[in-house]
Amino acid sequence: MSNNQEPQAPKRVLERSSYPEYLRLNEILRKETVGGILLLIAAVAALIWANSPASASYFAIRDFEFGYEPWHLRLSVGAWAADGLLAIFFFLVGLELKREFVAGDLRKFSRAVVPVTAAAGGVLVPALFYVIVNLSSPESLRGWAIPTATDIAFALAVLAVISSHLPSALRVFLLTLAVVDDLIAIAIIAFFYSDDVEFTYLLFMLVPLALFGFLAQKNPKYFGRHTPAAWLILLPIGIATWILMHASGVHATVAGVLLGFLVPVLRKAKDGTVKMPRPNKPGLAEIFEHRFRPLSTGFAVPVFAFFSAGVAVGGTEGLMSALGDTVTLGIIAGLVLGKPIGILLTTFVLTKTTRANLDPDLRWIDLLGVGMLAGVGFTVSLLVNDLSFAQGTEHNDHAKVAILGASLIAALAATVILRSRNKHYRRVEEAERVDADNDGVPDLFEERDR
């Protein structure tokens, strides 16, 4: 190396995001935390009702069918919650995914590679754990994807309960990890849990989907400024897309993701140039996210959780029966062990192969705590369970017990680890606050890879 050539700074893993991105993600985190608390309330209420003397009424409501049969829409209340209401949740997932990869920090390879790799490890290793446990029981192998999902709302609700001062870098990492995790879960549902696909309906579905995309891309300012227009024009087209996707045999929630992908993230200036969204000038995707997130976190996801989490445990005898099922053991092993091992292992390998280092404020135990927190699986895990095993079957009920039990174990383990580091986290938080007070754009959050 020549004398006038400066040594290249070592790459850092889990360094803080840019300040605007930090502020935006923090706003999302606060909303997801509220949604997670509602999710906890809905799950507990369902469990109490399903195991009470009035349990028959809970299952009667969940299994009550209604809808228009010629359009393949005569579904149970539970199925409407899973296929219909969760489409709203997945629409937001689509918006957030596109926002992150088009205008967020994940558009840069240097920032995207860590959460993408960690998410892949956090999906692959839990699935491997499940398969190993269930090798001797081929009929239960269909549930291999149940322990692969992370419920960010539930995980953040746990953070809110334990009052952890988790550094911004870890919070952003957890959120982006969950976003990529959702993308992988969507692909798994689309490719592995779609039966008897009717390609005619799938082709017809492309018509309203293309129309939705054309209108959203052509008139983003109009739909952004006129709320009724979005409800009266785009919503019916979206519903038509959902109906045809459902009739095709591909899980209907995938329609929500595709619709979200078609909403423009970037904004058009008066001169026609395309620009990045700003806090005072957001793109249509960000506007829709603000409009629909309360509907998703406050209604759609809690209602789905209420009708999916209810399981009659059957007392001690029922619990022992569940623990003797390889489905239960595979899910617990996947969420409690597979998730943190997969996330930690892939990140460690990445640091060794790229000669990168953790951010100076962090230690590997911090990443272990986040990995344990990622083992809190709920919404998508329950959805995949219902796609794997028919509702009311032994495997389905045992899987629900496993998802709830494993999420509780993972939450408790994460609490122990993260609380033990709270003193250090407070010091980091104070340093961030001081820098923010100095100039409004703290050095700790400034872009490091310009």
Side-chain angles (χ1 to χ4, degrees):
M1 183 172 61
S2 60
N3 293 333
N4 59 354
Q5 189 175 9
E6 294 183 2
Q8 189 174 12
K11 296 179 181 178
R12 288 179 179 174
V13 176
L14 299 188
E15 63 181 356
R16 298 182 184 90
S17 63
S18 58
Y19 191 52
E21 184 72 358
Y22 163 78
L23 293 177
R24 191 186 72 82
L25 292 179
N26 255 13
E27 183 183 356
I28 294 175
L29 290 169
R30 284 194 294 270
K31 293 177 181 178
E32 291 286 9
T33 300
V34 173
I37 293 171
L38 293 176
L39 209 59
L40 283 168
I41 294 172
V44 171
L47 283 170
I48 292 174
W49 192 355
N51 290 277
S52 71
S55 60
S57 60
Y58 170 85
F59 294 108
I61 294 172
R62 187 196 69 183
D63 298 333
F64 176 75
E65 294 185 351
F66 68 96
Y68 191 55
E69 178 60 35
W71 288 1
H72 306 279
L73 293 177
R74 185 170 179 80
L75 307 173
S76 67
V77 172
W80 274 110
D83 292 5
L85 291 181
L86 271 197
I88 302 172
F89 166 77
F90 278 103
F91 175 70
L92 283 168
V93 170
L95 291 176
E96 183 59 29
L97 278 169
K98 186 173 181 181
R99 172 67 177 76
E100 283 301 314
F101 283 101
V102 172
D105 279 352
L106 293 187
R107 74 185 187 278
K108 301 166 186 172
F109 178 80
S110 60
R111 291 193 180 276
V113 65
V114 178
V116 169
T117 305
V123 168
L124 182 61
V125 176
L128 187 61
F129 271 52
Y130 182 93
V131 170
I132 291 173
V133 173
N134 286 274
L135 275 177
S136 60
S137 180
E139 71 276 5
S140 61
L141 282 176
R142 183 169 171 79
W144 64 270
I146 296 174
T148 61
T150 294
D151 193 312
I152 186 61
F154 226 140
L156 291 172
V158 172
L159 274 182
V161 171
I162 66 177
S163 299
S164 175
H165 299 263
L166 203 65
S168 60
L170 287 177
R171 287 179 179 270
V172 171
F173 174 71
L174 178 62
L175 180 61
T176 51
L177 176 76
V179 166
V180 179
D181 185 285
D182 284 337
L183 176 62
I184 298 173
I186 292 159
I188 289 173
I189 291 170
F191 289 104
F192 296 99
Y193 290 95
S194 298
D195 299 322
D196 302 322
V197 177
E198 295 283 349
F199 288 99
T200 302
Y201 285 112
L202 206 56
L203 288 173
F204 284 145
M205 181 274 302
L206 295 176
V207 177
L209 182 68
L211 180 60
F212 181 95
F214 173 77
L215 292 175
Q217 295 285 339
K218 188 72 173 177
N219 304 287
K221 288 186 178 180
Y222 177 75
F223 291 115
R225 293 172 180 171
H226 302 86
T227 302
W231 290 101
L232 296 175
I233 299 174
L234 294 182
L235 181 60
I237 298 172
I239 291 174
T241 305
W242 179 89
I243 290 173
L244 290 168
M245 180 71 84
H246 184 274
S248 74
V250 177
H251 199 265
T253 53
V254 177
V257 180
L258 295 178
L259 291 168
F261 282 164
L262 292 178
V263 178
V265 170
L266 304 178
R267 59 186 181 85
K268 288 184 179 179
K270 291 181 180 180
D271 58 2
T273 58
V274 177
K275 296 187 176 182
M276 296 286 284
R278 289 157 51 188
N280 59 335
K281 293 182 178 181
L284 185 60
E286 195 169 346
I287 293 173
F288 278 3
E289 188 180 326
H290 283 289
R291 288 181 188 172
F292 288 101
R293 191 172 292 278
L295 178 62
S296 174
T297 59
F299 178 74
V301 176
V303 170
F304 163 76
F306 180 77
F307 286 112
S308 292
V311 54
V313 178
T316 305
E317 184 180 344
L319 189 59
M320 295 307 295
S321 174
L323 291 175
D325 191 346
T326 54
V327 168
T328 305
L329 299 176
I331 292 172
I332 293 175
L335 288 174
V336 177
L337 299 176
K339 270 289 182 184
I341 290 175
I343 292 170
L344 205 61
L345 183 62
T346 50
T347 308
F348 178 78
V349 171
L350 186 67
T351 61
K352 295 305 177 183
T353 55
T354 62
R355 295 182 180 179
N357 298 314
L358 281 178
D359 188 276
D361 289 330
L362 304 178
R363 298 292 181 269
W364 286 105
I365 192 173
D366 300 320
L367 197 61
L368 175 62
V370 170
M372 292 302 308
L373 201 57
V376 178
F378 194 76
T379 304
V380 180
S381 291
L382 288 173
L383 174 61
V384 176
N385 175 39
D386 289 341
L387 295 175
S388 302
F389 310 113
Q391 278 198 346
T393 61
E394 190 177 66
H395 282 331
N396 183 275
D397 288 344
H398 290 172
K400 289 180 181 180
V401 172
I403 292 167
L404 295 171
S407 297
L408 178 60
I409 295 170
L412 291 174
T415 299
V416 172
I417 295 172
L418 297 178
R419 289 287 291 179
S420 70
R421 295 277 291 162
N422 246 354
K423 190 174 181 180
H424 172 71
Y425 295 158
R426 285 194 187 98
R427 287 198 297 267
V428 175
E429 185 180 53
E430 183 61 29
E432 293 173 351
R433 188 181 297 113
V434 169
D435 283 342
D437 291 339
N438 283 339
D439 56 11
V441 184
D443 297 336
L444 287 173
F445 297 111
E446 284 182 349
E447 196 64 63
R448 302 188 183 193
D449 54 357
R450 283 181 289 186

